[in-house]
């Protein structure tokens, strides 16, 4: 059973809309975990002006959710009420090298492609993006980054390379944000939650293309060795609590043996959960909550979800 079709009433108040607006569109195929229900209405803006027009005219009571490449997201089985915004690569996937070792990238540009463009242009400092399977919009919202105990050259965090972002407010204004507006912290950004990021300007430094490519390769090797790369996951499930590693807390609490329905914790990286064929969002979320309960009971530490859970059960 789907949601009520709100698209005719939305179109009626937005006669000049150019993007695509579809009712009850399944979202699972867009996500890394391949689970979850439909969007009540899925909007794909034609460009930034179209997005601004849409948000300006969207009735205030309609909730808005943005998804990027959905690599850090559980979409619940009942789907997402209101409007889900998902960009097209054509309109928001641009990547341009600018003077001063800078890269301007659309919010739907894949992090990996940005890292490849940086390598080609001889720009260092963005190699960490090579291993993150999300989009630039998701990197801004999550302050995506990588830490390594063994190899500092593969480390990096979005906030360290950030110069400016373009976004559209819920009221439909196109705005530019600087570092102080973003309020970056560990895997989070404190800029207003209803901003839709449309573009980022990132700063690198000179580094020979071969050197950047070699680091990109080491990023990949690190991933293949230490993480799940060939199954359905959403990356790190929980943030590392101050002074702790989530994977260690989960392992020590016996979480590695836990399975709910078709979801289980990874034996390779205890903070990754795996969705097997046929898993539901409920299996995955219940598993995560069970892990939190185990860790709380064993160590007294409260794990905080890094993965975003959206929609209704
Ligand atoms: C195998 C694997 C490995 C991973 N490794 C890492 C890692 O090393 N480091 C790391 O930080 N993450 C990692 N992740 C998690 C994930 O890739 C990152 O969080 C990534 O930045 C999410 O980007 P996305 O486009 O997929 O965002 P989504 O998952 O689609 O969304 C995440 C959040 O960003 C918001 N968002 C997305 N786009 C926009 C936009 N344009 N405007 C406003 N808000 C937006 C969403 O609303 C949501 O709140 C990994 C995931 C997987 C599956």
């Amino acid at each position: 059973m789907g949601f009520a079709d709100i698209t005719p009433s939305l179109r009626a108040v937005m006669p000049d809309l150019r993007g695509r607006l579809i009712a009850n569109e399944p979202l699972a195929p867009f996500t890394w975990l391949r689970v979850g229900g439909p969007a009540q209405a899925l909007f794909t803006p034609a460009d930034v002006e179209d997005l601004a027009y849409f948000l300006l005219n969207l009735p205030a009571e309609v909730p808005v959710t943005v998804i990027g490449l959905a690599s850090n997201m559980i979409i619940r089985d009942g789907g997402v009420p209101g409007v889900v915004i998902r960009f097209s690569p054509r309109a928001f996937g641009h990547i341009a090298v600018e003077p001063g070792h800078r890269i301007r990238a659309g919010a739907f540009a894949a992090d990996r492609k940005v890292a490849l463009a940086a390598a080609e242009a001889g720009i260092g400092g963005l190699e960490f993006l090579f291993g993150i399977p999300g989009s630039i919009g998701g990197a801004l919202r999550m302050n995506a980054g990588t830490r390594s105990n063994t190899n500092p050259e593969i480390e990096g965090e979005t906030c360290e390379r950030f110069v400016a972002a373009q976004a559209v407010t819920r009221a439909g204004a196109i705005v530019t944000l600087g570092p102080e507006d973003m309020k970056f912290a560990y895997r989070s950004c404190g800029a207003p939650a209803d901003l839709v990021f449309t573009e980022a300007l990132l700063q690198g430094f000179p580094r020979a293309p071969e050197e950047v490519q070699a680091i990109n390769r080491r990023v990949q090797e690190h991933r293949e060795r230490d993480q799940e790369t060939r199954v359905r996951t959403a990356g790190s499930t929980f943030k590392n609590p101050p002074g702790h590693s989530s994977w260690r807390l989960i392992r020590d609490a016996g979480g590695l043996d836990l399975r709910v329905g078709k979801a289980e914790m990874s034996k390779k990286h205890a903070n990754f959960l795996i969705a097997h064929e046929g898993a539901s969002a409920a299996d995955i979320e219940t598993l995560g909550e069970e892990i939190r309960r185990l860790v709380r009971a064993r160590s007294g530490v409260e794990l905080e979800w890094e993965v975003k859970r959206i929609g209704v059960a």
Side-chain angles (χ1 to χ4, degrees), residues 23-261:
N24 279 303
E25 181 71 359
L27 293 175
F30 297 140
T31 71
W32 270 69
L33 287 168
R34 296 282 190 275
V35 299
Q40 185 166 20
L42 180 68
F43 178 51
T44 310
D47 51 33
V48 67
E49 287 78 20
D50 193 46
L51 173 63
Y53 173 79
F54 177 82
L55 290 172
L56 174 68
N57 291 289
L58 186 69
E61 67 277 10
V62 180
V64 176
T65 307
V66 190
I67 66 170
L69 288 171
S71 61
N72 193 54
M73 195 172 265
I74 299 170
I75 292 176
R76 294 192 176 107
D77 297 313
V80 186
V83 170
V84 172
I85 295 172
R86 184 176 188 269
F87 291 147
S88 69
R90 195 177 53 77
F92 292 91
H94 54 281
I95 300 173
V97 175
E98 297 198 351
H101 303 96
R102 289 180 163 189
I103 291 204
R104 188 176 294 278
F108 207 59
D111 297 343
R112 188 182 177 91
K113 287 192 176 166
V114 173
L116 285 171
E120 199 175 314
I123 298 175
L126 294 165
E127 295 87 348
F128 70 97
L129 288 175
F130 193 69
I132 300 179
S135 66
I136 288 297
L140 292 173
R141 179 51 73 193
M142 298 304 302
N143 188 18
T146 301
R147 289 276 162 261
S148 162
N149 295 329
T150 49
N151 189 358
E153 71 182 359
I154 67 169
E155 294 191 349
E157 214 171 15
T158 305
C159 62
E160 295 163 2
R161 298 285 147 225
F162 178 83
V163 178
Q166 184 192 60
V168 181
T169 68
R170 179 62 179 81
I174 301 173
V175 297
T176 302
L177 298 104
E180 65 291 351
D181 304 311
M182 296 297 280
K183 302 182 177 60
F184 284 120
Y186 168 57
R187 297 299 164 266
S188 76
C189 156
D194 57 4
L195 285 181
V196 184
F197 297 117
T198 49
E199 192 179 80
L201 181 62
L202 303 171
Q203 178 74 61
F205 51 78
R207 185 176 256 165
E210 316 76 64
E211 204 182 327
V212 181
Q213 280 154 7
I215 298 174
N216 283 351
R217 275 198 299 278
R218 288 196 278 281
V219 168
Q220 186 65 34
E221 285 158 16
H222 163 79
R223 299 264 154 190
E224 300 277 348
R225 195 184 57 237
D226 295 346
Q227 297 183 359
E228 298 285 359
T229 53
R230 294 173 201 285
V231 288
R232 299 176 192 172
T233 76
S236 295
T237 310
F238 303 105
K239 295 184 183 186
N240 287 319
H244 296 279
S245 293
S246 290
W247 70 265
R248 195 171 284 128
L249 291 168
I250 294 168
R251 183 198 62 190
D252 294 350
L256 286 187
D257 298 324
L258 221 60
R259 190 177 173 116
V260 174

Side-chain angles (χ1 to χ4, degrees), residues 33-35 228 231-233 258-267 273-280 283-284 287:
L33 287 168
R34 296 282 190 275
V35 299
E228 298 285 359
V231 288
R232 299 176 192 172
T233 76
L258 221 60
R259 190 177 173 116
V260 174
K262 299 277 186 185
E264 68 175 336
M265 297 313 287
S266 159
K267 306 272 186 291
L273 51 71
I274 298 175
H276 294 291
E277 188 66 39
S280 63
D283 289 346
I284 298 168
L287 173 64

